[in-house]
Amino acid sequence: MEANTMFLIKALLLVCFKVCFTLASDPDPIQDFCIPKQITSPHHHPFSTNLPCKNSSELTTEDFIFSGLQTAGNFSETGLATVPVNPTTFPGLNTLGLSFVRADLKPGAINPPHYHPRATEVAHVVKGRVYSGFVDSNNKVYAKVMEVGEMMVYPKGLVHFQMNVGDVTATILGGLNSQSPGIQKIPSVVFGSGINEELLVKAFGLSLEQIGNLKKRFNPVMSNEH
């Protein structure tokens, strides 16, 4: 009886391991590629992997090429420009479990603390000097000034950040192991999401007025109203 029980436990653990591992990232493709047909349904999610694929006879080499990373995106008032690359902008990535981003930072500009709930990211500095790092679940920070040619990995779900510490605009190329990694920027999540002000006052030791100013800054709706 004990042998049968141990066998059953091992089998259940093996199944759980396989299922958990499978759910930990985008599902493996069941075909070489899938360039999706355009769907106009309002209920369609742009990152869905269940879209109907174009027939291979309709495809050309251009379907697998993206040229949008050659130049920087539009710079924000804070000096950050990003060009996200996912199946919406580059359909050739559909079902392949990948996405990319180009980030350009003017001198002194930052990419604020944020995280990707569904992806690990690697960041490669192609121009400039960038202070880059992440914080683990024990609240330990791993950070350094990265030079051209260096690469850093940000484990999935951990807060990470970048700051241009050089004299020229810095450029970073990032790769993520999900076609829909998601992003949550900490300042916007905390002060721009509608969390109760009293809770924020107690959590950060700031005055109600200071919390209100931060909410105006990071909540687009409030910014437009004021």
Side-chain angles (χ1 to χ4, degrees):
M1 176 64 82
E2 288 187 4
N4 290 337
T5 301
M6 288 301 297
F7 176 80
L8 179 60
I9 292 174
K10 289 180 179 179
L12 289 173
L13 288 174
L14 180 61
V15 170
C16 179
F17 173 79
K18 289 185 176 180
V19 170
C20 293
F21 182 79
T22 301
L23 295 178
S25 61
D26 289 356
D28 286 335
I30 57 175
Q31 57 219 346
D32 291 345
F33 46 78
C34 175
I35 308 298
K37 295 181 179 179
Q38 290 188 345
I39 302 295
T40 57
S41 169
H43 303 295
H44 160 61
H45 190 284
F47 298 112
S48 172
T49 58
N50 297 320
L51 296 175
C53 308
K54 288 184 179 180
N55 191 293
S56 59
S57 62
E58 304 176 71
L59 304 179
T60 70
T61 302
E62 296 302 315
D63 287 301
F64 303 95
I65 295 176
F66 180 79
S67 302
L69 293 181
Q70 294 177 343
T71 57
N74 296 322
F75 283 93
S76 67
E77 294 181 357
T78 61
L80 171 66
T82 60
V83 180
V85 187
N86 51 56
T88 298
T89 56
F90 182 22
L93 290 176
N94 186 51
T95 73
L96 300 183
L98 293 171
S99 57
F100 297 86
V101 63
R102 169 176 173 158
D104 292 89
L105 301 95
K106 292 183 177 180
I110 69 167
N111 191 0
H114 63 280
Y115 68 95
H116 306 288
R118 295 182 291 275
T120 293
E121 179 180 4
V122 290
H124 177 222
V125 177
V126 297
K127 180 183 176 184
R129 302 175 69 243
V130 179
Y131 174 69
S132 171
F134 68 90
V135 181
D136 71 7
S137 56
N138 292 316
N139 225 27
K140 180 178 179 180
V141 63
Y142 297 84
K144 64 163 289 186
V145 174
M146 294 173 60
E147 307 287 347
V148 172
E150 291 191 304
M151 177 182 289
M152 187 172 199
V153 62
Y154 311 126
K156 182 171 69 173
L158 297 186
V159 172
H160 52 280
F161 49 82
Q162 293 131 359
M163 178 171 65
N164 184 351
V165 295
D167 299 324
V168 300
T169 297
T171 301
I172 304 168
L173 296 180
L176 303 101
N177 67 337
S178 170
Q179 72 175 48
S180 179
I183 182 170
Q184 290 196 288
K185 297 184 178 181
I186 302 304
S188 298
V189 167
V190 175
F191 299 108
S193 61
I195 295 176
N196 181 276
E197 291 186 359
E198 181 182 356
L199 185 150
L200 295 177
V201 166
K202 293 179 179 179
F204 293 96
L206 300 174
S207 69
L208 194 60
E209 180 182 3
Q210 289 172 317
I211 293 295
N213 290 333
L214 287 168
K215 293 186 73 173
K216 291 177 184 178
R217 178 178 177 183
F218 293 107
N219 187 322
V221 176
M222 291 188 65
S223 298
N224 293 332
E225 292 177 348
H226 294 77

